[in-house]
Amino acid sequence: LKEFEKGLSEHHLALGPDGMTVLSRAITEHNIVAISHLYSNISLSRLGGILDETPAQVEILASNMIAEERLKARIDQLSQYMLFDEFDSDAKSVSGWARNAHPGHLMFDRIRRRAFACCAQGTPLYFDAHSLVVRRAWWSPADTASLMAGYMATVIGSPIAQASVVDGMQMMAGLKRVQVRELRQMLEAITGFDQRNKYIVKDEAGRELFYAVEESNACERNCYPPDCAPWDLHIYVLGPKGLQGDLIHWLTVHRPCTCTCFCANRPVAYVTETSTDQLLGTLHDPYACCDLTFKIKDAAGNDVITGVGGCCQWGMCCPLPCGPCQHIGLQLSDSMNNSEVGKVDKYWMWGDCCPICFKEQDNYWITFGEVENPRWKALLLALGIFMDFRYFTQRNQA
């Protein structure tokens, strides 16, 4: 690259108003386009880290490219994510092999095809095995094949990468129903001082699959108005040893602080796959007078699933751990045709009435029903916990 720069004129190397040279700007813009073929969405901070630029600089460059129609994408400034349009026509018709193939193999195949296409045309590019970004160099197809083999060994072959990206989704793909239970916090039960929420997710056979823990400070939990308080939720995949073994970070649910007042600034939570930093979708609690209503949207902001519970439920009016007062139901429907696709059932436990004497509390059953996509199942799992945060934790009942 330095040898190439020696042949450039001075005006090519002069810094522009954005602090970049013509060459560096062209390379960065090229890399943004390359990334748009590998990601469906990516946070600006993650994109800036890959490109060695600040998120603000990346946002300015991408905005100019979008305005000039050189990049098919849009920027969500609220969530600080860039959402790319789908370029590949073959992505719209997924074959049976593609549905069952290892996601890492699919990504490798896309990278391999593009890398070989570049080399066949003599394009001075190669793919970095660690960041998956186009760099500057002259590479032959043989060099590219060697690079891709290294990528398969170092990234796709990594046990951590496989477990965090693949296993969480694979586990969800085979589940029809899961149970979410909050773990009792004895200090909270005795003092009434709200602690971090912790949950265990089990399958129908009672096997522990996931562990979820809240990340927030004492001030946010006990001093903020419940409708405004920020929190993060980290969901981990459990190994054979359960909580005593290794925890693999799978999902992050981020609920930013909002100035919520009735219908203004309603709470939103962003669900991200931790290993790829890709936004799966968002959880919304729209304003509904005397009703239990939620919405799930995809990464592009389109409504996917709507949950409606209704206020005329015994469990809402008179919560008791027995009889008809024990149950609260949330019906899940497809936002496109309003057909029922699943449900969330909450059962009041004796621990909800007396946590000092009983450890069982906040018992949820999430039935996926017609939902088969593991990503939507992951969002429904997050919705069950989001529902608990919004209406059934101690901070909301105080």
Side-chain angles (χ1 to χ4, degrees), residues 89-130:
S89 59
D90 59 350
K92 298 179 180 179
S93 56
V94 183
S95 65
W97 174 86
R99 283 195 299 268
N100 299 317
H102 191 300
H105 296 167
L106 298 179
M107 179 179 289
F108 166 73
D109 186 64
R110 294 182 67 185
I111 298 171
R112 177 187 59 78
R113 286 187 283 109
R114 288 194 172 90
F116 273 93
C118 289
C119 291
Q121 298 170 5
T123 306
L125 307 172
Y126 76 93
F127 281 90
D128 187 300
H130 297 286

Side-chain angles (χ1 to χ4, degrees), residues 35 38-43 46 81 107 250-252 271-281 299 375:
I35 289 172
L38 300 176
Y39 288 82
S40 59
N41 61 76
I42 188 171
S43 67
R46 168 71 170 167
Y81 266 80
M107 179 179 289
W250 176 41
L251 298 178
T252 297
V271 184
T272 305
E273 193 172 19
T274 306
S275 60
T276 61
D277 199 30
Q278 289 212 24
L279 182 69
L280 297 182
R375 288 177 174 265

Side-chain angles (χ1 to χ4, degrees), residues 263-333:
C263 60
N265 296 323
R266 297 299 299 172
V268 179
Y270 301 87
V271 184
T272 305
E273 193 172 19
T274 306
S275 60
T276 61
D277 199 30
Q278 289 212 24
L279 182 69
L280 297 182
T282 54
L283 311 175
H284 298 255
D285 180 12
Y287 179 74
C289 184
C290 301
D291 202 351
L292 192 65
T293 306
F294 295 94
K295 283 185 178 293
I296 296 179
K297 297 186 178 184
D298 61 18
N302 303 311
D303 289 347
V304 178
I305 297 175
T306 300
V308 178
C311 62
C312 298
Q313 300 188 61
W314 285 103
M316 292 286 290
C317 303
C318 182
L320 291 173
C322 57
C325 298
Q326 183 183 20
H327 175 255
I328 297 174
L330 183 75
Q331 298 298 320
L332 304 173
S333 60

